[in-house]
Amino acid sequence: EVQLQASGGGLVQAGGSLRLSCAASGFSFRNYAIGWFRQAPGKEREGVACIRRDSSKKFIAESVKGRFTISSDNAKRTVYLQMNSLKPEDTAVYYCGLDPSAWCGLPYDYSGQGTQVTVSS
């Protein structure tokens, strides 16, 4: 069973930083993509960042480009989202998802429980 565990959210002031982690387990896909997406109250789900296992492709949404960075540790099957210069509009529940065909984009075939990020002004 594919499991994705997101962690690292919290409350931070505008301009601050957080690092989210997504620990993946329970699968044996040869290649795959893991991405982050977010959902804020009253807003549509938004893809934030994605990375393929072989790091051949990375995606960063325009809304966070220059502030967020995605990276991975394949040995740990963990993907990280470093979020710097956070803004109140980044407030949302952040989820990680996995696509076994290594496609970066919503919707992901698998996703887990999210982690809340709240940015105060």
Side-chain angles (χ1 to χ4, degrees), residues 2 10 12-17 25 28 33-34 40 42 45 50-52 58 62 94 102-103 106 108 113:
V2 177
V12 64
Q13 289 188 333
S17 299
S25 62
S28 59
I34 291 180
R45 188 175 298 182
C50 180
I51 186 169
R52 286 181 175 171
K58 292 185 182 180
E62 285 296 326
Y94 284 70
W103 172 255
L106 294 171
Y108 290 96
Q113 292 186 336

Side-chain angles (χ1 to χ4, degrees), residues 8-12 16-20 81-84 86 116-118:
L11 173 64
V12 64
S17 299
L18 284 172
R19 189 177 82 154
L20 306 183
L81 184 68
Q82 179 66 43
M83 306 187 297
N84 299 327
L86 282 161
Q116 175 72 47
V117 172
T118 303

